Amino acid sequence: MTHSVFTGGKQNRDLMVDKEKKIKRYSRVRKQLTELLSESDDSLARMATVIALLHHKMEGFFWTGYYFLHGDRLVVGPYQGPVACQELEKGKGVCWTAVNRDKTIVVEDVHKFPGHIACDARSESEIVVPVRDKKNKIVAVLDIDSTRHGNFDETDTAELEKIVEMIFY
Ligand code: SME
């Protein structure tokens, strides 16, 4: 009994520590982005910078990149990580779901997401965040895959939504 109470408490503390670490990392990334993005008004350059920073500064980001919404096509943009699908089958998978529902989608276990498109079999969890231009129109999605189960949560949603807002001005 004492042991199980102790274990439960420790797990909760560990989760809190992980969450705090994640928030601190995002805060450092946003600070760095503010400096770096002041160097160029080119949206493609800014998008690429966001990806490089996120991919190398955050923990567990296995594939980090964009799919551009070109008419009724989702076409890959700047990314870091293993080679990915260049175009996504229309209406299928997590990225199209984020576009169609007009909101961020967090997938704890990609194997349980109907129609998930696996560009790399090592991916276990995923988050997809719509990227909007200044007219609030979705022009792309930010897609991040992790080899860890359940790597993304409400902290990632809030932080990444703030970060994609930094691209266009
Ligand atoms: N899993 C995505 C496809 C893109 S890859 O993750 C890089 C999807 O289901 O839309």
Side-chain angles (χ1 to χ4, degrees):
M1 183 60 190
T2 312
H3 176 75
S4 68
V5 168
F6 174 74
T7 309
K10 188 168 181 285
Q11 282 172 348
N12 280 340
R13 260 203 314 279
D14 285 350
L15 286 174
M16 291 289 282
V17 169
D18 286 351
K19 190 179 167 83
E20 277 166 26
K21 275 194 197 158
K22 191 189 263 189
I23 289 171
K24 281 190 183 145
R25 274 180 199 271
Y26 273 121
S27 157
R28 287 198 294 272
V29 166
R30 274 195 286 120
K31 191 163 175 270
Q32 247 183 304
L33 275 175
T34 305
E35 287 163 24
L36 288 168
L37 298 185
S38 69
E39 293 169 15
S40 175
D41 63 1
D42 183 279
S43 54
L44 189 57
R46 296 162 72 88
M47 288 176 94
T49 303
V50 166
I51 291 303
L53 259 189
L54 284 174
H55 192 76
H56 294 284
K57 300 286 180 184
M58 296 305 298
E59 276 191 327
F61 285 24
F62 172 65
W63 192 91
T64 316
Y66 303 96
Y67 281 89
F68 283 112
L69 184 61
H70 288 164
D72 64 352
R73 298 162 69 196
L74 275 178
V75 184
V76 81
Y79 69 91
Q80 301 230 353
V83 173
C85 318
Q86 292 182 87
E87 295 205 27
L88 302 177
E89 189 184 325
K90 190 169 186 310
K92 198 180 163 213
V94 189
C95 293
W96 270 113
T97 303
V99 170
N100 291 334
R101 293 197 194 158
D102 196 12
K103 61 183 277 218
T104 298
I105 306 287
V106 175
V107 183
E108 195 176 320
D109 179 350
V110 295
H111 307 291
K112 292 187 181 152
F113 190 94
H116 169 259
I117 300 169
C119 297
D120 190 299
R122 288 169 287 183
S123 293
E124 288 291 331
S125 61
E126 180 164 4
I127 185 167
V128 178
V129 182
V131 178
R132 298 167 208 279
D133 65 12
K134 273 295 150 199
K135 292 176 186 152
N136 218 31
K137 184 172 162 282
I138 297 181
V139 290
V141 291
L142 167 64
D143 179 12
I144 305 169
D145 287 9
S146 180
T147 54
R148 301 176 183 174
H149 178 97
N151 194 56
F152 307 104
D153 56 20
E154 67 287 347
T155 301
D156 300 275
T157 301
E159 295 287 342
L160 292 169
E161 285 180 355
K162 277 190 258 179
I163 286 174
V164 297
E165 276 181 21
M166 298 170 80
I167 294 169
F168 295 93
Y169 66 93

